[in-house]
mmCIF file with all atom_site columns, all heavy atoms in Angstrom:
data_model
loop_
_atom_site.group_PDB
_atom_site.id
_atom_site.type_symbol
_atom_site.label_atom_id
_atom_site.label_alt_id
_atom_site.label_comp_id
_atom_site.label_asym_id
_atom_site.label_entity_id
_atom_site.label_seq_id
_atom_site.pdbx_PDB_ins_code
_atom_site.Cartn_x
_atom_site.Cartn_y
_atom_site.Cartn_z
_atom_site.occupancy
_atom_site.B_iso_or_equiv
_atom_site.pdbx_formal_charge
_atom_site.auth_seq_id
_atom_site.auth_comp_id
_atom_site.auth_asym_id
_atom_site.auth_atom_id
_atom_site.pdbx_PDB_model_num
ATOM 1   N N   . PHE T 1 1  ? 5.573   2.721  -1.742 1.00 0.00 ? 1  PHE T N   1
ATOM 2   C CA  . PHE T 1 1  ? 5.369   4.108  -1.328 1.00 0.00 ? 1  PHE T CA  1
ATOM 3   C C   . PHE T 1 1  ? 3.933   4.560  -1.560 1.00 0.00 ? 1  PHE T C   1
ATOM 4   O O   . PHE T 1 1  ? 3.173   4.828  -0.615 1.00 0.00 ? 1  PHE T O   1
ATOM 5   C CB  . PHE T 1 1  ? 6.365   4.977  -2.092 1.00 0.00 ? 1  PHE T CB  1
ATOM 6   C CG  . PHE T 1 1  ? 6.300   6.446  -1.813 1.00 0.00 ? 1  PHE T CG  1
ATOM 7   C CD1 . PHE T 1 1  ? 5.873   6.944  -0.587 1.00 0.00 ? 1  PHE T CD1 1
ATOM 8   C CD2 . PHE T 1 1  ? 6.714   7.361  -2.781 1.00 0.00 ? 1  PHE T CD2 1
ATOM 9   C CE1 . PHE T 1 1  ? 5.845   8.314  -0.327 1.00 0.00 ? 1  PHE T CE1 1
ATOM 10  C CE2 . PHE T 1 1  ? 6.688   8.720  -2.535 1.00 0.00 ? 1  PHE T CE2 1
ATOM 11  C CZ  . PHE T 1 1  ? 6.253   9.198  -1.316 1.00 0.00 ? 1  PHE T CZ  1
ATOM 12  N N   . ILE T 1 2  ? 3.514   4.623  -2.804 1.00 0.00 ? 2  ILE T N   1
ATOM 13  C CA  . ILE T 1 2  ? 2.171   5.117  -3.126 1.00 0.00 ? 2  ILE T CA  1
ATOM 14  C C   . ILE T 1 2  ? 1.108   4.140  -2.646 1.00 0.00 ? 2  ILE T C   1
ATOM 15  O O   . ILE T 1 2  ? 0.059   4.541  -2.128 1.00 0.00 ? 2  ILE T O   1
ATOM 16  C CB  . ILE T 1 2  ? 2.032   5.375  -4.641 1.00 0.00 ? 2  ILE T CB  1
ATOM 17  C CG1 . ILE T 1 2  ? 3.074   6.413  -5.100 1.00 0.00 ? 2  ILE T CG1 1
ATOM 18  C CG2 . ILE T 1 2  ? 0.622   5.865  -4.987 1.00 0.00 ? 2  ILE T CG2 1
ATOM 19  C CD1 . ILE T 1 2  ? 3.125   6.611  -6.606 1.00 0.00 ? 2  ILE T CD1 1
ATOM 20  N N   . GLY T 1 3  ? 1.382   2.849  -2.775 1.00 0.00 ? 3  GLY T N   1
ATOM 21  C CA  . GLY T 1 3  ? 0.410   1.844  -2.367 1.00 0.00 ? 3  GLY T CA  1
ATOM 22  C C   . GLY T 1 3  ? 0.075   1.897  -0.896 1.00 0.00 ? 3  GLY T C   1
ATOM 23  O O   . GLY T 1 3  ? -1.095  1.753  -0.508 1.00 0.00 ? 3  GLY T O   1
ATOM 24  N N   . SER T 1 4  ? 1.086   2.106  -0.041 1.00 0.00 ? 4  SER T N   1
ATOM 25  C CA  . SER T 1 4  ? 0.837   2.134  1.402  1.00 0.00 ? 4  SER T CA  1
ATOM 26  C C   . SER T 1 4  ? -0.048  3.309  1.785  1.00 0.00 ? 4  SER T C   1
ATOM 27  O O   . SER T 1 4  ? -0.932  3.187  2.641  1.00 0.00 ? 4  SER T O   1
ATOM 28  C CB  . SER T 1 4  ? 2.165   2.190  2.161  1.00 0.00 ? 4  SER T CB  1
ATOM 29  O OG  . SER T 1 4  ? 2.906   3.357  1.853  1.00 0.00 ? 4  SER T OG  1
ATOM 30  N N   . TYR T 1 5  ? 0.154   4.454  1.156  1.00 0.00 ? 5  TYR T N   1
ATOM 31  C CA  . TYR T 1 5  ? -0.681  5.625  1.418  1.00 0.00 ? 5  TYR T CA  1
ATOM 32  C C   . TYR T 1 5  ? -2.102  5.416  0.882  1.00 0.00 ? 5  TYR T C   1
ATOM 33  O O   . TYR T 1 5  ? -3.078  5.828  1.504  1.00 0.00 ? 5  TYR T O   1
ATOM 34  C CB  . TYR T 1 5  ? -0.082  6.863  0.757  1.00 0.00 ? 5  TYR T CB  1
ATOM 35  C CG  . TYR T 1 5  ? 0.965   7.590  1.562  1.00 0.00 ? 5  TYR T CG  1
ATOM 36  C CD1 . TYR T 1 5  ? 2.291   7.177  1.545  1.00 0.00 ? 5  TYR T CD1 1
ATOM 37  C CD2 . TYR T 1 5  ? 0.647   8.708  2.327  1.00 0.00 ? 5  TYR T CD2 1
ATOM 38  C CE1 . TYR T 1 5  ? 3.274   7.856  2.267  1.00 0.00 ? 5  TYR T CE1 1
ATOM 39  C CE2 . TYR T 1 5  ? 1.610   9.399  3.049  1.00 0.00 ? 5  TYR T CE2 1
ATOM 40  C CZ  . TYR T 1 5  ? 2.921   8.963  3.018  1.00 0.00 ? 5  TYR T CZ  1
ATOM 41  O OH  . TYR T 1 5  ? 3.883   9.638  3.733  1.00 0.00 ? 5  TYR T OH  1
ATOM 42  N N   . THR T 1 6  ? -2.202  4.786  -0.291 1.00 0.00 ? 6  THR T N   1
ATOM 43  C CA  . THR T 1 6  ? -3.513  4.574  -0.902 1.00 0.00 ? 6  THR T CA  1
ATOM 44  C C   . THR T 1 6  ? -4.380  3.670  -0.033 1.00 0.00 ? 6  THR T C   1
ATOM 45  O O   . THR T 1 6  ? -5.586  3.909  0.127  1.00 0.00 ? 6  THR T O   1
ATOM 46  C CB  . THR T 1 6  ? -3.352  3.967  -2.311 1.00 0.00 ? 6  THR T CB  1
ATOM 47  O OG1 . THR T 1 6  ? -2.595  4.868  -3.124 1.00 0.00 ? 6  THR T OG1 1
ATOM 48  C CG2 . THR T 1 6  ? -4.702  3.715  -2.965 1.00 0.00 ? 6  THR T CG2 1
ATOM 49  N N   . VAL T 1 7  ? -3.779  2.642  0.538  1.00 0.00 ? 7  VAL T N   1
ATOM 50  C CA  . VAL T 1 7  ? -4.513  1.751  1.447  1.00 0.00 ? 7  VAL T CA  1
ATOM 51  C C   . VAL T 1 7  ? -5.146  2.549  2.577  1.00 0.00 ? 7  VAL T C   1
ATOM 52  O O   . VAL T 1 7  ? -6.335  2.401  2.883  1.00 0.00 ? 7  VAL T O   1
ATOM 53  C CB  . VAL T 1 7  ? -3.580  0.663  2.030  1.00 0.00 ? 7  VAL T CB  1
ATOM 54  C CG1 . VAL T 1 7  ? -4.223  -0.008 3.236  1.00 0.00 ? 7  VAL T CG1 1
ATOM 55  C CG2 . VAL T 1 7  ? -3.260  -0.375 0.969  1.00 0.00 ? 7  VAL T CG2 1
ATOM 56  N N   . MET T 1 8  ? -4.345  3.408  3.222  1.00 0.00 ? 8  MET T N   1
ATOM 57  C CA  . MET T 1 8  ? -4.851  4.172  4.363  1.00 0.00 ? 8  MET T CA  1
ATOM 58  C C   . MET T 1 8  ? -5.987  5.101  3.950  1.00 0.00 ? 8  MET T C   1
ATOM 59  O O   . MET T 1 8  ? -6.986  5.246  4.670  1.00 0.00 ? 8  MET T O   1
ATOM 60  C CB  . MET T 1 8  ? -3.714  4.971  5.009  1.00 0.00 ? 8  MET T CB  1
ATOM 61  C CG  . MET T 1 8  ? -2.604  4.103  5.587  1.00 0.00 ? 8  MET T CG  1
ATOM 62  S SD  . MET T 1 8  ? -3.220  2.839  6.734  1.00 0.00 ? 8  MET T SD  1
ATOM 63  C CE  . MET T 1 8  ? -3.962  3.872  7.992  1.00 0.00 ? 8  MET T CE  1
ATOM 64  N N   . ALA T 1 9  ? -5.858  5.726  2.797  1.00 0.00 ? 9  ALA T N   1
ATOM 65  C CA  . ALA T 1 9  ? -6.910  6.641  2.327  1.00 0.00 ? 9  ALA T CA  1
ATOM 66  C C   . ALA T 1 9  ? -8.210  5.891  2.051  1.00 0.00 ? 9  ALA T C   1
ATOM 67  O O   . ALA T 1 9  ? -9.301  6.364  2.392  1.00 0.00 ? 9  ALA T O   1
ATOM 68  C CB  . ALA T 1 9  ? -6.439  7.372  1.072  1.00 0.00 ? 9  ALA T CB  1
ATOM 69  N N   . LEU T 1 10 ? -8.109  4.718  1.445  1.00 0.00 ? 10 LEU T N   1
ATOM 70  C CA  . LEU T 1 10 ? -9.310  3.935  1.146  1.00 0.00 ? 10 LEU T CA  1
ATOM 71  C C   . LEU T 1 10 ? -9.962  3.414  2.417  1.00 0.00 ? 10 LEU T C   1
ATOM 72  O O   . LEU T 1 10 ? -11.193 3.392  2.534  1.00 0.00 ? 10 LEU T O   1
ATOM 73  C CB  . LEU T 1 10 ? -8.953  2.770  0.216  1.00 0.00 ? 10 LEU T CB  1
ATOM 74  C CG  . LEU T 1 10 ? -8.549  3.162  -1.211 1.00 0.00 ? 10 LEU T CG  1
ATOM 75  C CD1 . LEU T 1 10 ? -8.047  1.948  -1.981 1.00 0.00 ? 10 LEU T CD1 1
ATOM 76  C CD2 . LEU T 1 10 ? -9.713  3.811  -1.962 1.00 0.00 ? 10 LEU T CD2 1
ATOM 77  N N   . LEU T 1 11 ? -9.149  2.988  3.377  1.00 0.00 ? 11 LEU T N   1
ATOM 78  C CA  . LEU T 1 11 ? -9.697  2.536  4.656  1.00 0.00 ? 11 LEU T CA  1
ATOM 79  C C   . LEU T 1 11 ? -10.417 3.671  5.376  1.00 0.00 ? 11 LEU T C   1
ATOM 80  O O   . LEU T 1 11 ? -11.494 3.482  5.949  1.00 0.00 ? 11 LEU T O   1
ATOM 81  C CB  . LEU T 1 11 ? -8.583  1.972  5.540  1.00 0.00 ? 11 LEU T CB  1
ATOM 82  C CG  . LEU T 1 11 ? -7.957  0.643  5.086  1.00 0.00 ? 11 LEU T CG  1
ATOM 83  C CD1 . LEU T 1 11 ? -6.732  0.320  5.929  1.00 0.00 ? 11 LEU T CD1 1
ATOM 84  C CD2 . LEU T 1 11 ? -8.981  -0.494 5.152  1.00 0.00 ? 11 LEU T CD2 1
ATOM 85  N N   . GLU T 1 12 ? -9.826  4.863  5.327  1.00 0.00 ? 12 GLU T N   1
ATOM 86  C CA  . GLU T 1 12 ? -10.454 6.026  5.959  1.00 0.00 ? 12 GLU T CA  1
ATOM 87  C C   . GLU T 1 12 ? -11.787 6.369  5.310  1.00 0.00 ? 12 GLU T C   1
ATOM 88  O O   . GLU T 1 12 ? -12.682 6.921  5.958  1.00 0.00 ? 12 GLU T O   1
ATOM 89  C CB  . GLU T 1 12 ? -9.510  7.234  5.883  1.00 0.00 ? 12 GLU T CB  1
ATOM 90  C CG  . GLU T 1 12 ? -8.305  7.115  6.818  1.00 0.00 ? 12 GLU T CG  1
ATOM 91  C CD  . GLU T 1 12 ? -7.266  8.188  6.566  1.00 0.00 ? 12 GLU T CD  1
ATOM 92  O OE1 . GLU T 1 12 ? -7.524  9.080  5.721  1.00 0.00 ? 12 GLU T OE1 1
ATOM 93  O OE2 . GLU T 1 12 ? -6.187  8.134  7.194  1.00 0.00 ? 12 GLU T OE2 1
ATOM 94  N N   . ASN T 1 13 ? -11.934 6.007  4.039  1.00 0.00 ? 13 ASN T N   1
ATOM 95  C CA  . ASN T 1 13 ? -13.196 6.256  3.333  1.00 0.00 ? 13 ASN T CA  1
ATOM 96  C C   . ASN T 1 13 ? -14.203 5.124  3.510  1.00 0.00 ? 13 ASN T C   1
ATOM 97  O O   . ASN T 1 13 ? -15.263 5.124  2.881  1.00 0.00 ? 13 ASN T O   1
ATOM 98  C CB  . ASN T 1 13 ? -12.923 6.468  1.838  1.00 0.00 ? 13 ASN T CB  1
ATOM 99  C CG  . ASN T 1 13 ? -12.295 7.825  1.558  1.00 0.00 ? 13 ASN T CG  1
ATOM 100 O OD1 . ASN T 1 13 ? -12.261 8.696  2.424  1.00 0.00 ? 13 ASN T OD1 1
ATOM 101 N ND2 . ASN T 1 13 ? -11.785 8.010  0.347  1.00 0.00 ? 13 ASN T ND2 1
ATOM 102 N N   . GLY T 1 14 ? -13.845 4.138  4.355  1.00 0.00 ? 14 GLY T N   1
ATOM 103 C CA  . GLY T 1 14 ? -14.796 3.086  4.683  1.00 0.00 ? 14 GLY T CA  1
ATOM 104 C C   . GLY T 1 14 ? -14.764 1.861  3.801  1.00 0.00 ? 14 GLY T C   1
ATOM 105 O O   . GLY T 1 14 ? -15.635 0.981  3.922  1.00 0.00 ? 14 GLY T O   1
ATOM 106 N N   . HIS T 1 15 ? -13.784 1.755  2.904  1.00 0.00 ? 15 HIS T N   1
ATOM 107 C CA  . HIS T 1 15 ? -13.707 0.601  2.020  1.00 0.00 ? 15 HIS T CA  1
ATOM 108 C C   . HIS T 1 15 ? -12.991 -0.567 2.696  1.00 0.00 ? 15 HIS T C   1
ATOM 109 O O   . HIS T 1 15 ? -12.204 -0.379 3.628  1.00 0.00 ? 15 HIS T O   1
ATOM 110 C CB  . HIS T 1 15 ? -12.973 0.960  0.728  1.00 0.00 ? 15 HIS T CB  1
ATOM 111 C CG  . HIS T 1 15 ? -13.629 2.061  -0.046 1.00 0.00 ? 15 HIS T CG  1
ATOM 112 N ND1 . HIS T 1 15 ? -14.897 1.929  -0.575 1.00 0.00 ? 15 HIS T ND1 1
ATOM 113 C CD2 . HIS T 1 15 ? -13.200 3.304  -0.369 1.00 0.00 ? 15 HIS T CD2 1
ATOM 114 C CE1 . HIS T 1 15 ? -15.223 3.056  -1.204 1.00 0.00 ? 15 HIS T CE1 1
ATOM 115 N NE2 . HIS T 1 15 ? -14.205 3.911  -1.085 1.00 0.00 ? 15 HIS T NE2 1
ATOM 116 N N   . GLN T 1 16 ? -13.241 -1.760 2.185  1.00 0.00 ? 16 GLN T N   1
ATOM 117 C CA  . GLN T 1 16 ? -12.485 -2.933 2.592  1.00 0.00 ? 16 GLN T CA  1
ATOM 118 C C   . GLN T 1 16 ? -11.366 -3.120 1.576  1.00 0.00 ? 16 GLN T C   1
ATOM 119 O O   . GLN T 1 16 ? -11.595 -3.030 0.365  1.00 0.00 ? 16 GLN T O   1
ATOM 120 C CB  . GLN T 1 16 ? -13.390 -4.166 2.608  1.00 0.00 ? 16 GLN T CB  1
ATOM 121 C CG  . GLN T 1 16 ? -12.713 -5.432 3.103  1.00 0.00 ? 16 GLN T CG  1
ATOM 122 C CD  . GLN T 1 16 ? -13.665 -6.618 3.149  1.00 0.00 ? 16 GLN T CD  1
ATOM 123 O OE1 . GLN T 1 16 ? -14.858 -6.470 2.893  1.00 0.00 ? 16 GLN T OE1 1
ATOM 124 N NE2 . GLN T 1 16 ? -13.139 -7.789 3.456  1.00 0.00 ? 16 GLN T NE2 1
ATOM 125 N N   . VAL T 1 17 ? -10.133 -3.361 2.052  1.00 0.00 ? 17 VAL T N   1
ATOM 126 C CA  . VAL T 1 17 ? -8.980  -3.432 1.169  1.00 0.00 ? 17 VAL T CA  1
ATOM 127 C C   . VAL T 1 17 ? -8.224  -4.737 1.356  1.00 0.00 ? 17 VAL T C   1
ATOM 128 O O   . VAL T 1 17 ? -7.954  -5.171 2.478  1.00 0.00 ? 17 VAL T O   1
ATOM 129 C CB  . VAL T 1 17 ? -8.015  -2.250 1.420  1.00 0.00 ? 17 VAL T CB  1
ATOM 130 C CG1 . VAL T 1 17 ? -6.779  -2.366 0.516  1.00 0.00 ? 17 VAL T CG1 1
ATOM 131 C CG2 . VAL T 1 17 ? -8.716  -0.920 1.186  1.00 0.00 ? 17 VAL T CG2 1
ATOM 132 N N   . VAL T 1 18 ? -7.891  -5.363 0.241  1.00 0.00 ? 18 VAL T N   1
ATOM 133 C CA  . VAL T 1 18 ? -6.953  -6.478 0.223  1.00 0.00 ? 18 VAL T CA  1
ATOM 134 C C   . VAL T 1 18 ? -5.714  -5.989 -0.522 1.00 0.00 ? 18 VAL T C   1
ATOM 135 O O   . VAL T 1 18 ? -5.824  -5.484 -1.651 1.00 0.00 ? 18 VAL T O   1
ATOM 136 C CB  . VAL T 1 18 ? -7.531  -7.716 -0.484 1.00 0.00 ? 18 VAL T CB  1
ATOM 137 C CG1 . VAL T 1 18 ? -6.477  -8.822 -0.574 1.00 0.00 ? 18 VAL T CG1 1
ATOM 138 C CG2 . VAL T 1 18 ? -8.773  -8.217 0.244  1.00 0.00 ? 18 VAL T CG2 1
ATOM 139 N N   . GLY T 1 19 ? -4.551  -6.093 0.107  1.00 0.00 ? 19 GLY T N   1
ATOM 140 C CA  . GLY T 1 19 ? -3.311  -5.618 -0.501 1.00 0.00 ? 19 GLY T CA  1
ATOM 141 C C   . GLY T 1 19 ? -2.382  -6.766 -0.824 1.00 0.00 ? 19 GLY T C   1
ATOM 142 O O   . GLY T 1 19 ? -2.348  -7.775 -0.110 1.00 0.00 ? 19 GLY T O   1
ATOM 143 N N   . ILE T 1 20 ? -1.657  -6.635 -1.918 1.00 0.00 ? 20 ILE T N   1
ATOM 144 C CA  . ILE T 1 20 ? -0.620  -7.611 -2.240 1.00 0.00 ? 20 ILE T CA  1
ATOM 145 C C   . ILE T 1 20 ? 0.679   -6.881 -2.574 1.00 0.00 ? 20 ILE T C   1
ATOM 146 O O   . ILE T 1 20 ? 0.670   -5.727 -3.008 1.00 0.00 ? 20 ILE T O   1
ATOM 147 C CB  . ILE T 1 20 ? -1.002  -8.544 -3.411 1.00 0.00 ? 20 ILE T CB  1
ATOM 148 C CG1 . ILE T 1 20 ? -1.141  -7.763 -4.728 1.00 0.00 ? 20 ILE T CG1 1
ATOM 149 C CG2 . ILE T 1 20 ? -2.273  -9.320 -3.098 1.00 0.00 ? 20 ILE T CG2 1
ATOM 150 C CD1 . ILE T 1 20 ? -1.271  -8.670 -5.955 1.00 0.00 ? 20 ILE T CD1 1
ATOM 151 N N   . ASP T 1 21 ? 1.792   -7.559 -2.345 1.00 0.00 ? 21 ASP T N   1
ATOM 152 C CA  . ASP T 1 21 ? 3.114   -7.031 -2.670 1.00 0.00 ? 21 ASP T CA  1
ATOM 153 C C   . ASP T 1 21 ? 4.098   -8.187 -2.619 1.00 0.00 ? 21 ASP T C   1
ATOM 154 O O   . ASP T 1 21 ? 3.955   -9.089 -1.784 1.00 0.00 ? 21 ASP T O   1
ATOM 155 C CB  . ASP T 1 21 ? 3.523   -5.947 -1.671 1.00 0.00 ? 21 ASP T CB  1
ATOM 156 C CG  . ASP T 1 21 ? 4.631   -5.047 -2.187 1.00 0.00 ? 21 ASP T CG  1
ATOM 157 O OD1 . ASP T 1 21 ? 5.769   -5.552 -2.354 1.00 0.00 ? 21 ASP T OD1 1
ATOM 158 O OD2 . ASP T 1 21 ? 4.384   -3.860 -2.429 1.00 0.00 ? 21 ASP T OD2 1
ATOM 159 N N   . SER T 1 22 ? 5.118   -8.152 -3.469 1.00 0.00 ? 22 SER T N   1
ATOM 160 C CA  . SER T 1 22 ? 6.125   -9.211 -3.458 1.00 0.00 ? 22 SER T CA  1
ATOM 161 C C   . SER T 1 22 ? 7.173   -8.985 -2.365 1.00 0.00 ? 22 SER T C   1
ATOM 162 O O   . SER T 1 22 ? 7.879   -9.915 -1.972 1.00 0.00 ? 22 SER T O   1
ATOM 163 C CB  . SER T 1 22 ? 6.830   -9.295 -4.812 1.00 0.00 ? 22 SER T CB  1
ATOM 164 O OG  . SER T 1 22 ? 7.607   -8.128 -5.045 1.00 0.00 ? 22 SER T OG  1
ATOM 165 N N   . ILE T 1 23 ? 7.285   -7.741 -1.874 1.00 0.00 ? 23 ILE T N   1
ATOM 166 C CA  . ILE T 1 23 ? 8.313   -7.341 -0.902 1.00 0.00 ? 23 ILE T CA  1
ATOM 167 C C   . ILE T 1 23 ? 9.696   -7.753 -1.422 1.00 0.00 ? 23 ILE T C   1
ATOM 168 O O   . ILE T 1 23 ? 10.484  -8.407 -0.724 1.00 0.00 ? 23 ILE T O   1
ATOM 169 C CB  . ILE T 1 23 ? 8.061   -7.914 0.515  1.00 0.00 ? 23 ILE T CB  1
ATOM 170 C CG1 . ILE T 1 23 ? 6.572   -7.842 0.892  1.00 0.00 ? 23 ILE T CG1 1
ATOM 171 C CG2 . ILE T 1 23 ? 8.889   -7.173 1.554  1.00 0.00 ? 23 ILE T CG2 1
ATOM 172 C CD1 . ILE T 1 23 ? 6.258   -8.354 2.287  1.00 0.00 ? 23 ILE T CD1 1
ATOM 173 N N   . ASN T 1 24 ? 9.997   -7.380 -2.663 1.00 0.00 ? 24 ASN T N   1
ATOM 174 C CA  . ASN T 1 24 ? 11.297  -7.737 -3.227 1.00 0.00 ? 24 ASN T CA  1
ATOM 175 C C   . ASN T 1 24 ? 12.409  -6.850 -2.673 1.00 0.00 ? 24 ASN T C   1
ATOM 176 O O   . ASN T 1 24 ? 12.159  -5.931 -1.886 1.00 0.00 ? 24 ASN T O   1
ATOM 177 C CB  . ASN T 1 24 ? 11.262  -7.700 -4.765 1.00 0.00 ? 24 ASN T CB  1
ATOM 178 C CG  . ASN T 1 24 ? 11.043  -6.297 -5.323 1.00 0.00 ? 24 ASN T CG  1
ATOM 179 O OD1 . ASN T 1 24 ? 11.367  -5.294 -4.687 1.00 0.00 ? 24 ASN T OD1 1
ATOM 180 N ND2 . ASN T 1 24 ? 10.489  -6.218 -6.518 1.00 0.00 ? 24 ASN T ND2 1
ATOM 181 N N   . ASP T 1 25 ? 13.639  -7.117 -3.091 1.00 0.00 ? 25 ASP T N   1
ATOM 182 C CA  . ASP T 1 25 ? 14.779  -6.393 -2.541 1.00 0.00 ? 25 ASP T CA  1
ATOM 183 C C   . ASP T 1 25 ? 15.339  -5.342 -3.498 1.00 0.00 ? 25 ASP T C   1
ATOM 184 O O   . ASP T 1 25 ? 16.525  -5.008 -3.419 1.00 0.00 ? 25 ASP T O   1
ATOM 185 C CB  . ASP T 1 25 ? 15.876  -7.375 -2.127 1.00 0.00 ? 25 ASP T CB  1
ATOM 186 C CG  . ASP T 1 25 ? 16.397  -8.200 -3.302 1.00 0.00 ? 25 ASP T CG  1
ATOM 187 O OD1 . ASP T 1 25 ? 15.885  -8.028 -4.429 1.00 0.00 ? 25 ASP T OD1 1
ATOM 188 O OD2 . ASP T 1 25 ? 17.324  -9.007 -3.091 1.00 0.00 ? 25 ASP T OD2 1
ATOM 189 N N   . TYR T 1 26 ? 14.504  -4.812 -4.387 1.00 0.00 ? 26 TYR T N   1
ATOM 190 C CA  . TYR T 1 26 ? 14.958  -3.719 -5.264 1.00 0.00 ? 26 TYR T CA  1
ATOM 191 C C   . TYR T 1 26 ? 15.509  -2.563 -4.432 1.00 0.00 ? 26 TYR T C   1
ATOM 192 O O   . TYR T 1 26 ? 16.489  -1.943 -4.781 1.00 0.00 ? 26 TYR T O   1
ATOM 193 C CB  . TYR T 1 26 ? 13.798  -3.264 -6.156 1.00 0.00 ? 26 TYR T CB  1
ATOM 194 C CG  . TYR T 1 26 ? 14.061  -1.961 -6.883 1.00 0.00 ? 26 TYR T CG  1
ATOM 195 C CD1 . TYR T 1 26 ? 15.109  -1.851 -7.784 1.00 0.00 ? 26 TYR T CD1 1
ATOM 196 C CD2 . TYR T 1 26 ? 13.257  -0.837 -6.658 1.00 0.00 ? 26 TYR T CD2 1
ATOM 197 C CE1 . TYR T 1 26 ? 15.365  -0.654 -8.442 1.00 0.00 ? 26 TYR T CE1 1
ATOM 198 C CE2 . TYR T 1 26 ? 13.506  0.345  -7.310 1.00 0.00 ? 26 TYR T CE2 1
ATOM 199 C CZ  . TYR T 1 26 ? 14.559  0.441  -8.197 1.00 0.00 ? 26 TYR T CZ  1
ATOM 200 O OH  . TYR T 1 26 ? 14.814  1.628  -8.844 1.00 0.00 ? 26 TYR T OH  1
ATOM 201 N N   . TYR T 1 27 ? 14.842  -2.250 -3.328 1.00 0.00 ? 27 TYR T N   1
ATOM 202 C CA  . TYR T 1 27 ? 15.418  -1.396 -2.293 1.00 0.00 ? 27 TYR T CA  1
ATOM 203 C C   . TYR T 1 27 ? 15.099  -2.019 -0.946 1.00 0.00 ? 27 TYR T C   1
ATOM 204 O O   . TYR T 1 27 ? 14.396  -3.024 -0.859 1.00 0.00 ? 27 TYR T O   1
ATOM 205 C CB  . TYR T 1 27 ? 14.953  0.062  -2.411 1.00 0.00 ? 27 TYR T CB  1
ATOM 206 C CG  . TYR T 1 27 ? 13.470  0.309  -2.273 1.00 0.00 ? 27 TYR T CG  1
ATOM 207 C CD1 . TYR T 1 27 ? 12.845  0.327  -1.038 1.00 0.00 ? 27 TYR T CD1 1
ATOM 208 C CD2 . TYR T 1 27 ? 12.679  0.560  -3.403 1.00 0.00 ? 27 TYR T CD2 1
ATOM 209 C CE1 . TYR T 1 27 ? 11.487  0.572  -0.907 1.00 0.00 ? 27 TYR T CE1 1
ATOM 210 C CE2 . TYR T 1 27 ? 11.315  0.801  -3.286 1.00 0.00 ? 27 TYR T CE2 1
ATOM 211 C CZ  . TYR T 1 27 ? 10.738  0.814  -2.030 1.00 0.00 ? 27 TYR T CZ  1
ATOM 212 O OH  . TYR T 1 27 ? 9.392   1.039  -1.899 1.00 0.00 ? 27 TYR T OH  1
ATOM 213 N N   . ASP T 1 28 ? 15.614  -1.450 0.116  1.00 0.00 ? 28 ASP T N   1
ATOM 214 C CA  . ASP T 1 28 ? 15.579  -2.008 1.461  1.00 0.00 ? 28 ASP T CA  1
ATOM 215 C C   . ASP T 1 28 ? 14.206  -2.570 1.856  1.00 0.00 ? 28 ASP T C   1
ATOM 216 O O   . ASP T 1 28 ? 13.257  -1.819 2.071  1.00 0.00 ? 28 ASP T O   1
ATOM 217 C CB  . ASP T 1 28 ? 15.991  -0.921 2.457  1.00 0.00 ? 28 ASP T CB  1
ATOM 218 C CG  . ASP T 1 28 ? 16.091  -1.433 3.883  1.00 0.00 ? 28 ASP T CG  1
ATOM 219 O OD1 . ASP T 1 28 ? 16.021  -2.655 4.073  1.00 0.00 ? 28 ASP T OD1 1
ATOM 220 O OD2 . ASP T 1 28 ? 16.235  -0.594 4.789  1.00 0.00 ? 28 ASP T OD2 1
#
């Protein structure tokens, strides 16, 4: 939730972003 929004905000500010996530099944 928070990570996906943070990526977009940083990209809009001109930064280069590398994101990681396990994509586990804690929720859908």
Side-chain angles (χ1 to χ4, degrees):
F1 179 29
I2 301 173
S4 61
Y5 274 84
T6 300
V7 165
M8 297 307 299
L10 291 173
L11 291 171
E12 288 170 5
N13 286 348
H15 300 297
Q16 184 178 355
V17 178
V18 176
I20 65 170
D21 199 293
S22 67
I23 319 182
N24 66 26
D25 61 358
Y26 168 61
Y27 61 78
D28 184 10

